[in-house]
Amino acid sequence: MKRVSRLALPMCLSIAIVFGVRTESQTASGQPQEVLHSGQTLRSNTRLVVVDVVATDSRGQVIGDLKSGDLTIFEDGKTQKVSNFTFHPPGKTDVALNSHLPVNVITNAPAFQASSLNVMLLDTLNGDFAEQAYVKDQLLKYLARAQFTRPIALFALEERLVLLHDFTTDAAALKSAVERFKPPARNNSAETVQSRASAFSTHGDFHTNDRDIGTTLNQLNALAKTLAGYPGRKNLIWLSESFPVNLFPDIMANGASGMCSGDACATSGGGRSTGTSLGSQGGSPMNLGRAALEGSGEGAYKDYALLIKKVSDALMNAQVAVYAVDAGAVGKDERIAAHVTMNEMADRTGGRAFIITNDLAASMSSSVDDGSTYYTLEYYPENKKWDGQFRSIQVRSSRPGVNLRYRAGYYALDPEKTNKEDS
């Protein structure tokens, strides 16, 4: 199969398209003017914050009958006035665009206009050959039995991001692309110096290393920029074994458990730890260069908590919800540290993580179904101080028994300054 990366040019153009309409692909800026009696004009900037919310009941079933009065949105604990409330039901027919372009004419405009898009990402960097073969088989199983009303695109995460098939509802075409896909030959990453020295080696066999983790974060960041060019919600189904939050030798772990910060110290009970979480670190977003993605820390110690947070923020700002499907399935190894990473990225972006299950096809189906029925709440922040700080978002329901999932927040960047930089 001829493998050509189609990301570089579309990525740049797509960002230009979406930023022309919205700041950070989810916020719109305006410049309302108020004329004073003195003849002076007072200008103020504002922005529209867009929050997608998935509502489920105690059994995990999607709730589709909430009204605008049932949900209240808060920013840093303060109630915000919702300016627009929209429900996106499943099964809505998507409209194909640009289907009759002249010969030799290419466009980066989306081929579909849909309220939600789905991206299947086959991760070949974090996992061994057996897992990748199993994921491929489960994906083919899902594509064989599903009937699509929402477009799906296929990507492979290798040393670079590879587009296997663009967005389509043609299950046969997607299945053919998966059948042709062959993961690149790789050395057993479990035999690298980092993984052999990792303190997690006795608690799980992580088929990854520092270089592959850095590449993963870099390519996820690139994917966020690419998907920012598509309007509406995007569901990223990340088929991966994932990786632990940090890697460090046993000699540093012995008697130095304090170095295991935050969610890397998750207990065998699972879930999120009570330490310093990935979402609790402040500061404004920054570009992820190659040097940054080599991991922080000295010597062989590598901590990816801050980088995971930044990549999650990039996905969140592109209106991408992460649905992490554990390619490791049910096994003898304890892989809680990797599950923490999957849960954090899913929680921060408003998605879900599917772990410790062999039915990956069912997890893929649940991911698509879950992300296809949601509510969109829009509001103009009461706080007009654009200081670049992270502002947390909370959504609450007045109806009992409703569980809500949504993105964690946004950075208060100056709309006027951002628009000038993007123009």
Side-chain angles (χ1 to χ4, degrees):
M1 168 177 129
K2 184 177 180 181
R3 308 164 64 79
V4 180
S5 174
R6 299 168 54 189
L7 296 177
L9 179 59
M11 184 188 302
C12 298
L13 297 179
S14 296
I15 295 173
I17 289 174
V18 69
F19 282 178
V21 180
R22 298 186 171 207
T23 303
E24 295 181 351
S25 82
Q26 295 186 71
T27 55
S29 63
Q31 294 183 330
Q33 299 182 5
E34 180 180 350
V35 180
L36 305 180
H37 292 292
S38 62
Q40 297 179 342
T41 300
L42 176 65
R43 297 177 181 270
S44 63
N45 292 331
T46 188
R47 68 191 310 167
L48 181 68
V49 179
V50 181
V51 183
D52 294 332
V53 180
V54 174
T56 59
D57 59 22
S58 58
R59 297 175 298 172
Q61 300 299 313
V62 175
I63 299 174
D65 61 347
L66 294 177
K67 307 301 180 185
S68 58
D70 295 330
L71 297 177
T72 305
I73 193 164
F74 301 83
E75 181 178 294
D76 288 341
K78 296 181 179 180
T79 307
Q80 304 295 311
K81 181 181 178 181
V82 176
S83 60
N84 184 49
F85 177 91
T86 308
F87 173 59
H88 303 276
K92 180 181 176 181
T93 303
D94 302 301
V95 180
L97 305 174
N98 307 315
S99 56
H100 301 291
L101 291 175
V103 179
N104 298 325
V105 174
I106 338 178
T107 177
N108 70 321
F112 285 89
Q113 183 177 353
S115 58
S116 68
L117 299 171
N118 300 289
V119 175
M120 295 286 181
L121 179 62
L122 287 80
D123 187 347
T124 69
L125 294 178
N126 304 287
D128 61 10
F129 179 79
E131 290 176 355
Q132 293 165 11
Y134 185 66
V135 166
K136 181 177 178 179
D137 179 69
Q138 288 287 297
L139 180 54
L140 288 172
K141 180 180 178 181
Y142 166 69
L143 294 173
R145 71 187 186 191
Q147 293 184 347
F148 303 126
T149 57
R150 304 272 177 173
I152 291 180
L154 296 173
F155 284 84
L157 181 58
E158 303 176 1
E159 293 296 329
R160 57 190 177 90
L161 203 56
V162 179
L163 176 61
L164 303 179
H165 200 290
D166 207 345
F167 289 104
T168 182
T169 55
D170 187 344
L174 293 170
K175 184 177 179 182
S176 177
V178 174
E179 289 173 340
R180 294 194 306 268
F181 172 66
K182 298 186 183 303
R186 296 170 53 84
N187 294 328
N188 185 359
S189 58
E191 294 301 320
T192 61
V193 174
Q194 291 93 340
S195 58
R196 286 199 302 269
S198 173
F200 295 117
S201 60
T202 58
H203 301 288
D205 187 11
F206 294 97
H207 305 101
T208 191
N209 56 51
D210 176 58
R211 183 176 183 275
D212 287 343
I213 294 174
T215 301
T216 299
L217 293 169
N218 205 357
Q219 299 305 333
L220 286 175
N221 187 61
L223 183 59
K225 293 181 180 179
T226 300
L227 295 179
Y230 292 84
R233 178 186 176 94
K234 281 79 63 175
N235 304 308
L236 175 59
I237 295 90
W238 180 29
L239 308 172
S240 173
E241 183 184 296
S242 188
F243 51 86
V245 175
N246 51 32
L247 294 172
F248 55 94
D250 291 336
I251 188 173
M252 298 183 68
N254 292 334
S257 59
M259 296 190 65
C260 179
S261 62
D263 292 328
C265 299
T267 63
S268 59
R272 304 175 68 175
S273 73
T274 57
T276 304
S277 69
L278 302 182
S280 66
Q281 303 183 40
S284 58
M286 57 186 293
N287 294 328
L288 300 176
R290 178 176 299 177
L293 287 173
E294 289 178 354
S296 59
E298 303 220 349
Y301 175 76
K302 298 293 181 180
D303 189 325
Y304 306 97
L306 181 59
L307 296 177
I308 292 171
K309 171 184 174 294
K310 289 178 179 178
V311 171
S312 298
D313 287 348
L315 291 163
M316 176 180 66
N317 290 335
Q319 210 170 346
V320 176
V322 174
Y323 288 83
V325 177
D326 182 16
V330 178
K332 62 181 178 60
D333 296 318
E334 182 183 287
R335 302 180 52 255
I336 294 175
H339 295 163
V340 167
T341 301
M342 303 174 84
N343 279 317
E344 280 291 348
M345 295 189 71
D347 290 347
R348 192 165 182 82
T349 59
R352 289 180 61 188
F354 297 85
I355 59 178
I356 315 180
T357 176
N358 287 328
D359 195 349
L360 305 187
S363 299
M364 298 175 204
S365 179
S366 296
S367 299
V368 173
D369 292 342
D370 184 89
S372 297
T373 307
Y374 64 98
Y375 302 84
T376 296
L377 282 66
E378 300 178 353
Y379 71 94
Y380 294 95
E382 297 291 333
N383 184 0
K384 300 297 191 296
K385 182 180 179 182
W386 313 118
D387 53 8
Q389 295 301 307
F390 187 81
R391 296 182 182 176
S392 62
I393 293 174
Q394 304 87 32
V395 183
R396 298 173 187 168
S397 173
S398 59
R399 185 187 299 186
V402 177
N403 300 313
L404 304 176
R405 282 184 281 106
Y406 46 88
R407 66 189 181 110
Y410 71 99
Y411 285 95
L413 303 177
D414 188 334
E416 184 176 3
K417 181 179 179 181
T418 303
N419 283 346
K420 287 182 179 179
E421 293 175 350
D422 293 331
S423 61

